[in-house]
Each structure stands twice: as structure tokens, then as C-alpha cells.
Amino acid sequence: MVRKVCVVVTARPSYSRIKTALRALKNHPKVELQLVVAASAIIERYGNVAEIMEGDGFTIAARAHSLLEGDTLIGTAKSTGIGMSELASVFERLRPDIVVTVADRYETLATAAAAAYCNIPLAHIQGGEITGSIDEKVRHAVTKLADLHFVCTERAREYVIRMGEHPERVFKTGCPSIDIAREVLESPRPDFNPLDHYGGVGPRLDLSQGYLVVLQHPVTTEIDDAKDQITATVEAIKQLALPTIWFWPNVDAGSDVLSKMLRTEREHGTLDHVHFFRNMTPEDFLYTLLRAKCLVGNSSVALRESAYLGVPALNIGNRQRFRERGRNVIDAPYDKDAIVAAVATCVANGHHGRDDIYGDGTAGMKIAELLSSVPTSIDKHLSYVDGSPGV
Amino acid sequence: MVRKVCVVVTARPSYSRIKTALRALKNHPKVELQLVVAASAIIERYGNVAEIMEGDGFTIAARAHSLLEGDTLIGTAKSTGIGMSELASVFERLRPDIVVTVADRYETLATAAAAAYCNIPLAHIQGGEITGSIDEKVRHAVTKLADLHFVCTERAREYVIRMGEHPERVFKTGCPSIDIAREVLESPRPDFNPLDHYGGVGPRLDLSQGYLVVLQHPVTTEIDDAKDQITATVEAIKQLALPTIWFWPNVDAGSDVLSKMLRTEREHGTLDHVHFFRNMTPEDFLYTLLRAKCLVGNSSVALRESAYLGVPALNIGNRQRFRERGRNVIDAPYDKDAIVAAVATCVANGHHGRDDIYGDGTAGMKIAELLSSVPTSIDKHLSYVDGSPGV
Amino acid sequence: MVRKVCVVVTARPSYSRIKTALRALKNHPKVELQLVVAASAIIERYGNVAEIMEGDGFTIAARAHSLLEGDTLIGTAKSTGIGMSELASVFERLRPDIVVTVADRYETLATAAAAAYCNIPLAHIQGGEITGSIDEKVRHAVTKLADLHFVCTERAREYVIRMGEHPERVFKTGCPSIDIAREVLESPRPDFNPLDHYGGVGPRLDLSQGYLVVLQHPVTTEIDDAKDQITATVEAIKQLALPTIWFWPNVDAGSDVLSKMLRTEREHGTLDHVHFFRNMTPEDFLYTLLRAKCLVGNSSVALRESAYLGVPALNIGNRQRFRERGRNVIDAPYDKDAIVAAVATCVANGHHGRDDIYGDGTAGMKIAELLSSVPTSIDKHLSYVDGSPGV
Amino acid sequence: MVRKVCVVVTARPSYSRIKTALRALKNHPKVELQLVVAASAIIERYGNVAEIMEGDGFTIAARAHSLLEGDTLIGTAKSTGIGMSELASVFERLRPDIVVTVADRYETLATAAAAAYCNIPLAHIQGGEITGSIDEKVRHAVTKLADLHFVCTERAREYVIRMGEHPERVFKTGCPSIDIAREVLESPRPDFNPLDHYGGVGPRLDLSQGYLVVLQHPVTTEIDDAKDQITATVEAIKQLALPTIWFWPNVDAGSDVLSKMLRTEREHGTLDHVHFFRNMTPEDFLYTLLRAKCLVGNSSVALRESAYLGVPALNIGNRQRFRERGRNVIDAPYDKDAIVAAVATCVANGHHGRDDIYGDGTAGMKIAELLSSVPTSIDKHLSYVDGSPGV
């Protein structure tokens, strides 16, 4: 009996978080993988990760066009509503035995709710973490809609269970993104230079003496501060004057502000030591990160892959506060001087040893195995009450 | 400073669960009430509760047309997606300071998510209870999207807090539906006969020697059993042959099956001792319930208002299992003989004393007062982590 | 080279208008038929024509859930918008070489626009007729979106060409509904009694001495008069006191008013000589019609199938004014006395000879043959200008 | 009795086509103007024309978020469907006496259909013209949905009437965009330099010796050729090496391809004689155009405003074929050499005299006056039939 496992990918960064699980599912004899792409995952200007996935040998079973133009809060709500409606049609057609949703981006609530409402068991990857912003609400709401939980850390497992999920349904697998970090460490490519493989925009930099990598997303619950937040980072990078590789932000309420500022600065020639990329394969991204002197921004990559790779990371602002982190992370507020100083500290400290707080590099295999075999059910109750038949 | 409090009502039964709070909000000097109706609340064949609300003196600030035809699971998902998109537009226009969502019907996730994504503080009424079905998932997902919680029972407060909500934001107010039950007890109308006030369909019954009230909803996670479930109740009512007042079910996946069977039985003359109503004011519903020998079905009214009124209630099936209940409730499976026997027991036991497990009749005032004054925030984290700034 | 021909059916009456073409397409060696159902075609309480089609041996390639609850004008607009979005996804998936849309119901604009916007050649069946109401606007708007036209009458062909369509693309095929009428005439079933085959509601009537058939739809551009209009017919039928077979109206803005009134009258026992049906196969409908003394209402069946069958028809109101008609049709306003008198005249006149104004019974074959072979293009201009490359 | 006139603007170029009518409506004593913006009109990266309108003193009555991300054909269909649903809600709330839709962009079908389905009289501006592409289908479909027609040319009036519209409802007013051209001619600003007023991107050009203006849109029905088409123009502009002002294309299926190519060329420094603008006020756009040596591209501005201003225009490809044009227009195919040669001819010919083929500069006043006073009706039939009560 082959199980139809439907994984919904809605954005570029989610692919890194699930890729090795997809690979293991594709090759699993008891699984038929149904890969669905939606939202920004099929949009050219957000890196069209669907194309990258096809390049990696995956077949797309369905596409859901759901992303509204405009970086507004109302747009995130409407896009999620549209996505929920579109994905319900997709599930009606594909009739999966289980649906998998990844992490906590706003539009993933569409995947989770559509599956739950269609009485399809839902598995959630990366529950139980604590951040801030709308992601926090979405992540835990998805946990309450989900029937199976594949978490990254011990603390995350504890928290998901404390929220009332039955322990038998909460599995610590680690994060599939760490699997890629492990592959990168195990297959070093000392000569890898991203400028040789991706166009991007900006000057041809000399990366041989080290460089910074910047990855900063708008914080949707602090949207009025979006401009000030990105300004602090831009000014710091200008002052640091180190060769810098900057990745365009995800699509989110607020991302147009960032894009606009970066374009304006480029027009004025103030970022001539910066090269911009929109997208890479997850592997190439990590090869790029691996040799960075420091990762700067507010992405969870600072806490996850960077910890495993030992890359020093400067985490700016509140977006990742309360998330578990290793020794490689230093914090700074959205303030130019603080950022400059903290980057200097990071660079001075140099690289760290491997920290497998978010996984040991076997998450994909574990998740695929569990998805192929664990009993599923949509019957669920808070575990607090006596006799609750959780499993 | 007047606060704009936006309450979204999406279905007939939700009105009873919020009516006294609406009244208190409307009269509160520090509150501007924005009443929004959506989904089945504006549909004629589901009782058009919007019209009843206007008859009660409330002004509708906006209407969201979101309910798809057809009693299918995919329809519940799509309607919720459409509702989310529609309500986001409503919130953009009304710019409320706080949004209030009631209970746990599937489409209320649209209200909760639209508010959360638009960075509007969200208050949830009736969190922390345990039932079954999709309501269970929706209820707790809404809790994780909400910033304020107004719960009905002590246990519900404990459970919401255990799920990681900060205690300072969880208030036990009781259920506003109990406020109406209190009014009904305090202003008895011994001569009230629903047949004098509402048309409905079916024969003119003699209610003077007592009667049954039936209120049974389809269970959306057991949709394949919908026909068998309603058949058991219909057959039991036929055998009991007591004067019976039957309320049409809510709109839900499965409700067409119920409606169809009831129509067929009526055609065949087998329900000539049954009068059907589609809708009543919450008060008249309770006046009708108050003098019933027994409430039969799977509605939470059996556990809530009936407990306060002391009306014996036969609860059928799993829909309310794990919910707190008082002495007035007896359980039976979806089985004709079991139902007949249990109704006999209920009738024999007679009415009970008042049980204020779900509230003491002051919930509406408490909720309005809190909504007018409690500090609001959209910044929220699981309370488990040290230093989490919950409040 | 096999052509993928995608036919979209959105309502019960549209099936009769296309059924023989579907059959011919299904059997055509150069055609792959893609049958899509949408809107009320998949809704139980509107006769679920999708189920009937499957019973007739057709395979459904896709379902589009698009019909909003509530019989409101805003609902027709929203349902059409939803349908347009849903059908675009369907077309993206099925990649048809040509899309076929039938007649002029409001939601068919969704089919037409979705196909046109996706650069898929569009064929329209039943253009060039004149009625009134929103159908009139929709029908001609669809003509302007369509690339091929299969019309029923000579006058319709002339009108479509006068609207600026190139004559080479406008084909008079007749209406497929007449094909069924021809089959019915050629295979008489003198013993056919609809009461033996369909449940419906109402008493078992004696049809042996003749009967009336009623088919009346709400007029969406006269929605405020909907109640008065149906009242006139109901009162006339009550006074005529002949055995009557009444078909529930289509889903449209206003249809709930009709349904409600019919239900109320039934409760009061004033329609005890009327049996109500929701749906039949197109063939059985015509067998039922064939032996009627008179068809009463405002359906185009009065002008089309009834003309071919020679059944006297009373056409009420403006819905069909300006449509071509044969000798079998008499007009009356929405007035009880006028309707009673006109029905008497119809009955007295008796049946007429065959009139093939709307087709000679070969439309389905012709349409299928043309769809399989005619050159297609999406390049189109008003034919009025010199040198316009219409074909 | 004041009439509520609701004008829906969905894109940057539509504003120029309606601005003077809006001004006249705003000031008309018998009119209450309800200005609605939708689709790309509220999107930052498409020039956010809503903001410009507010800057011009207009109040926005409602915003409809309807534009999906991604420059795909399916996206145009879905955005139009979403817009139809959103605008129906807007019309329900604003309850206009008449709705006005402008020109023929794909998303305007949403305005037209939503109004028609809600039984609101619809006025269409710029019907009866002939172009190509999906615009052609949309334009005439909107004509068939509309009750009033305000056309630009004598030929357009003739064509609208030939399509079956009643002559009493078709008014030749000229195009409001010509009103602005007239104002620009009457208030010359010889010192106007767009580089002083708008940022844009690209070098500071010396415009004193004349310059080219480029305005080229993707052709949605030739989407596979989009890249070749823009390449021809880019290569021609590179070879011509004249100072050039280039306006980013409208949002349409295909526009991302154009944007991407332009960005790439800029990165490679091959367009250093080109300055790019996203948006201007309609007036400033015409002041910029007025002093150009030649307008290059496929915009209808070449045929309309340029004719009135006497600016030589090179029209590339099929997008405007069959549209009426004056002496100022020369045609060329999508071919580099042909474009280079034709531009040279245009420049050599120099400016022409005023040609008021598309209006005499009084369209806005005429339209406002008609909208305030002309009898409205939603009852409409093809004029071909005898006795058709068109007016």
C-alpha cells in the first residue's frame, strides 16, 4: 500500500527546509510524492523556486496561483485566503493520504487549514519554535491544526507537547536544512565562487579575502519600522566597506520598501562593494555562506545552518529572539553603530565548531520514513483531559 | 478615547453566544461597536440572523458574502478562504482597534486569521473547551492567533494557559449565552408558545403536556456517517411519538443530507408529531427549551444553556465528548434504541437545579468592560520560555 | 492530430442544450472530450446535473466550485468572478485546444473570459438570439469574446455577423436540444409517466386526461417584481385546477423567493393538484412535455423544443420577448386572469405540427464535426474595417 | 437629485484617459463622484496612480486589491475574476447610480460585469475602436455589457451602433486624454525637464537637442514573442544612440520579460543614453512627449495624444493596427533595422499640425454633463429587431 504524500512548498526558503525530505520521499518505495507549489514559489521575481525544484529532478503535481501584488498586510491576508481556496481544489484532485506543510510563513496557514478542512491528516515540520512577528502566531496555529509534528530540537518537542499535542505524535527529526549543511561540509568545494554560477546584479567582487553575507527580511508586525530597520543595515554595510553578498528579501508585507531602498542606493553608487543575488540552490547558498566571515541580518539561517557550519552570525532585532541558538550568534539592535561593532566582533571571533542543535543531518530520511509508515488520524483532542484518545 | 470593537458573527448559533456582549458594547461609552456579518449569517435559508440582529436594534457595519453552495468539505475550505479575503477588506475599511471572534465554527478561522494578518489585536470567546471534529482544531488554532481570551469555565482558562497563553490575557467571563438563560429564568413567560410566534413547518402541536426539542448537527469529520447518524435520531423520535420541536441544522458539510431526510420523512407523513423551525431569537429559543421535557441531539446547548436552565439533555455521539457538563446531561450513541431509552430516563428524572458551570449570567457585561479597557498588543510568544514578554 | 475540446456545463438546463453534441464529441475519432462542470451543475439542490451526466456515460474531467449561497445580485457577480478564477486553473491544467460555452446564463461569462484570457480559442453555442434581462448582455458579450459561433437560427446567424463577427466563423447548426426532441418524436413512449420514474414531491396525479407543465424562472433584472411574478402564475394554476407538473426554477438571483412561495403554498394545501420535480434527464423531460396540454412559464423551452414537438406554450412576461418563435406560442403578462385565459386558448387550440425554426435535429453532429476540424485562431477584429483578417 | 457616479480606475494609463472627466464630475453640482481604484492602480511598482490621484485632489472611495503576482495569462484571468468579486462588494456598499469603465484593459471586464450583474447602469468610455490582442475582445464585450457609450471618433460611434447599440445611447465626446493635450498646448512650459521633477533611473541626460520617448507594452496574445519584440526595440535604441526617455511597461502578461531585459541591459551599460521613468502625472508626461523628436513603441498614445500634439510617432507591430490614425504615425515591424530607419524618417519629417481625430479637448466636460443628466436604464436589446425598445 503506497501512501500519497503531498508536500506544499510556498516560498524559496521553504525549499531548503524540506529538500532532503523530498528527495527521500521521492525514492521511498512506499510513498508516492505529490509536490505542490504555491504563492511566491512560482513567481519569477521571487526566485521561481519551482523551476529550481524541477531542475533538481522533482515533478510538480500542481501549481496554486495565490499571491497578490503589493506588499501590504491586507495582501498577506487575501493571498492566504486565495491560497486556501486554491489548495482545497488541488487536494480534491490529488486526494493525498497526508499533507505536509513546512515552517511558519504566513501563507502556510492556507495549506494547513485546507488540509484540515478536507479531513486530510496534516504533518507540520518545524513546530514548537519561538520567534516573534506573525510567524509566531501562524506556527502555533498550524500546530493546532496538525496531526503529526516533525520538530527540530528537543525544546521544540517539549513545547509542542505542552501545547496539548499527544507525545506519540511529536517526533524530533531535526531540520532538513541541516542535512544540506552536512552534505556541504562533507563535500567541500574550496574553489566555489557564486559569481561564477549566478548572475545577480552588482560588481564582480574579489571574495578571496573573505566577505559578508546579508539576509534581512521585513518584520511584518513591525511594518511601520521597515524603512528604519533596513536603513540601519544598509548604513552599516556601507561603513563596513567589506565585499558583501546580499540576498533579496522574501516576499512579505514590507519587502517592496527594502527592494526600493536597495535599488536607490545602487543608483547612487553607495553599494559598489555589494553584489545582489535573488536565488541559489540551497547547496550553493550554503557553499557561499560557508566561507563568509559573518552572516548579517535577521534570517533563521543565522541560528540553524550557520550553527552547524560554524559561521559567525550577527542577528539583528527581534525576529529571532527566543529561538534557540548556539555559540555562533551575536545580537544587535537595528542600529548602525551597534551592527558595525557586532560584525567586527563576529569577524574577530572567527568560525566555530559544529553545533547540531537543529539537527544532525539525517532529518530528511527520518521524516520520509515516518511519513511512509506512522499511523494517521484526523481525530484529535487536547491531551490535557483524562482519557483523551490522542493516538 | 473610544475603542472601535469589531465583532464578526458568522452563523445563527453564534449570535446567542455573543448577544449580551453586543448589547453591552453598544451601550458602553468608551466603545464604538462595529458589527460585521458573514457566511451563513446573511443567508435566508439558514435563518438570516443578520435580519434578527437588526430587529434587535443593532446596525450592521459590513456584510461579507463568503458561503459557497454545497455541503462539501472542499466547500468549507473554500468558503473560509473567501471569507478571509473578504474580511480583510472589511477590516481595511473599518480599521477596528480590536476584532472579536466567537467560538469555533470552521469559518471563524477566517475572522481570526484576517485580523491577525492585518496586525489587529484579536479577542476570542469560548476558547479552551474540548469537543471533537474540526471544531477542536479550529478552536485551538484560533486561540494561538488570538491576543485576548474570554473563556467560559475554570477548566477552559487552565487549558488556554497551558497551551502557552499568558495568564494575564486569559479571562474567565462565562458564556454570554448563559446571560440570556438568566434573563429567561428571571422573566418567566409561562404562556409562551413558539407556535404562536413562528411559522415553521409541520402540524399545530399541543405542547401543554410537554414536548421534546431536537437540535442535531452533522459531524464534519464523520461525514460519511452523516446519514446513519441522523437516521438513528429520526427513528427514535418516530418511536417516541411525543410532540417534538425540531430545529433545522446549521449549514455545514453534511447538512443537506439531514435536510433531505427530514423532508422525505415529512412527505411520507411519518413526522406528523414534529414541528420544524428554522430560527428564533435566542430568547424565544430558550423559552421554548425551558419547558421541554428533554433536549435531544448533539448541540452544545445541551451542556451550556440547558445546564443553567436545568433542562434534561440527551447528548448523542462524540461531538460534545470531553466538554465539561453538569448533572443534566446523559449520553447515548447514534443508535435508535439507546436514544429512546435515554430520552425516557431524562424525562423520568425531570428538571434539575441551576448549574452555572458555563457562567453566572454576567458574561456580556464583563466582556464589554474588558474589551473597552484591557491593554491590547499583537506582540505575543509562547509563555514557556524565560523572559517571554507576554503582556 | 486529436483535438482537445473542453466543454463547460454550468447548470441543469445547459445540459439539454449540449447533450447530443457531447455524445458526438465523445465518439468522434479526432476529438478528445474534456467535460468540465461548474457552478450549480454540481449542487445537489439544483439537480446535480453532473451526476446525471455521469449516469449518461460521460467522464467529468474537472469540477469548479464557484456558486455562492444566497439568491442576490451581488452573489451572481461574485460567483462569476470565482468561476473565472477557478476555470482558469482548470484550463491551465487541461490545456484544451478549444473551449465551448453554452448559451447565456450569467456564469457562462466566466467560461468565456477565462478561455479568452488564456489565449484559448472559444466556441459559443446559441449566440445571436434576443431576449431581455442580464442574459441579453451576457450572450452578446460572450459573442464578442468568442472565436467561433454555432447558432440555432438563420436570424441569429445574421445578427452575429452584423455584430462584427466574420461570416466564415458563424455556423448555423441548429440547437442540440432539438436533436433530443427529434429522438423523442422518433421513439415514442406512449406509456411514459414521470411519476413512475422520479420522486419529486406532491400527490400522485392522474395524468391520463392531460396536464399542464410549469417552468418559470426569476427575471434577474426585474428582481423586485419576482414575488408578484410568481404569485400571478401560482394563483392562475390554483384557479385552473388541472393536474400540473411543476419544475423548480434554476438557481438565480430571485429563485429563493419562488421556492419559498411554492413551499408555503404546499404547506397550506393549495397546490394539491401539483407535483413538483427538481430534475429529469433531458429525454424524460421532453417525454413529459410531449403529452402536456400546455407549457406555462417563461422558459425558452416554450420557443425551442415545444415548437419542434408542437406543444402549445403560454409564454409569460418579457423574458423571451424578441426571441424568434413559432405558431405554438401565445403571450400573456404576469397577471392571473390573463394567464388563465391564455392557457384555456392554448388547450383549446391543441397541438401543432413540427416547426424546425430552432433546428432540424442534427445540431450535435454538425457541432462536433466543426469542432474537430474548423481552423481555430484567437486573432480577431471587428469585420467592419477594410482588410480585417477575420479568418 | 444628485447622481452617484462611480468611476473605476484600474491602471496608470487609464487615469490619463479619464482625468478631465473626473475633474468635471467632481465639480458638477448634480453629481457625487465615487472614485474607485483597483488592480495595478494601487501597486507601488506600477506607479501607484491612486497616490497621484490623491495628489491631484481626488478622494478615493474604495480600493479593490485584485492583482495577482506573476505576468502569466492565467494571472490575468484570475485577477479579473478576483476584481469582479471585489468590485461587486464595493458597488453593494457605495450603491452608485451609474458605473463608468474606461477603455479596454483586461481587468476592466471585471468592472463592467460586476456593474451589469448588480443591475447598475454602465457607461463605457472608448468603445468602438479596433486594435488587436485581447484588448479587442474585451473592448467589444464591454460594449455589449454597457448601457451608455462615450466614444472618441466618428468611426467608433458608427461601429458601436452597427454592433447593435441604440444610436440614442452612443455619444461621440472625444477622448479625455486629448483634453490634457489641449491644456498642454495652451500652457506651454518651454523649460520643462522631466529629469528635474522625477527620479527614475539612469543617467542625467542632455535633452536640449531633442530626444526619443519609448513606450512599449507586451502583446498578451503574442506572449511567446514578447522577448523578440522587446529585443528589436532595445537593439534599435542602442544603435540610434540618441538621448532616450523610456517608460516602464504596464503590468500585463509578459511585462516581467520586458522589465528583466531592460534591467539586464542597464547592468551591462548598453543603455547609458537612456533614462527610465515609471510614472508621471498625465500632464508632465505630455510635456515630456511634446518636445520629443519621435515617440517609439506600440502605445495608443502614438495615435491619440501624439496626433493632437503633432509629435511624430513610430508604431511598432500589430497592437494598434486597424486603429484610426493621423498623419503623424509611421509603422514598422518588430525588426531592428526597420525601426532604426523609421525613426530616422520620423525625425526627419519633424512635427505636424494639430489633428483632432480623437477629440477637440472638451471630452471631460461633455462626459460629465451626460453622466449627470442622460436617462439611464439597464433594459437593453440588440437594435436589429423591429420594435426593440432601446431607449
Side-chain angles (χ1 to χ4, degrees), chain D residues 189-210:
Chain D
R189 295 167 63 192
D191 296 336
F192 179 80
N193 185 332
L195 297 166
D196 297 339
H197 301 276
Y198 296 92
V201 297
R204 172 101 202 161
L205 304 174
D206 174 6
L207 302 179
S208 63
Q209 302 306 310

Side-chain angles (χ1 to χ4, degrees), chain B residues 30-53:
Chain B
K30 294 198 173 162
V31 168
E32 175 190 334
L33 174 61
Q34 299 174 324
L35 184 53
V36 174
V37 286
S40 69
I42 49 177
I43 303 298
E44 200 60 38
R45 68 180 189 119
Y46 291 106
N48 198 343
V49 74
E51 219 168 75
I52 294 179
M53 294 162 93

Side-chain angles (χ1 to χ4, degrees), chain B residues 185-205:
Chain B
L185 280 189
E186 290 178 352
S187 309
R189 295 166 63 192
D191 296 335
F192 179 79
N193 185 332
L195 296 167
D196 298 339
H197 301 276
Y198 296 91
V201 295
R204 172 102 202 161
L205 305 174

Side-chain angles (χ1 to χ4, degrees), chain B residues 286-300:
Chain B
L286 292 189
Y287 279 114
T288 302
L289 178 62
L290 180 59
R291 288 174 43 233
K293 281 177 181 296
C294 179
L295 172 67
V296 178
N298 58 9
S299 163
S300 66

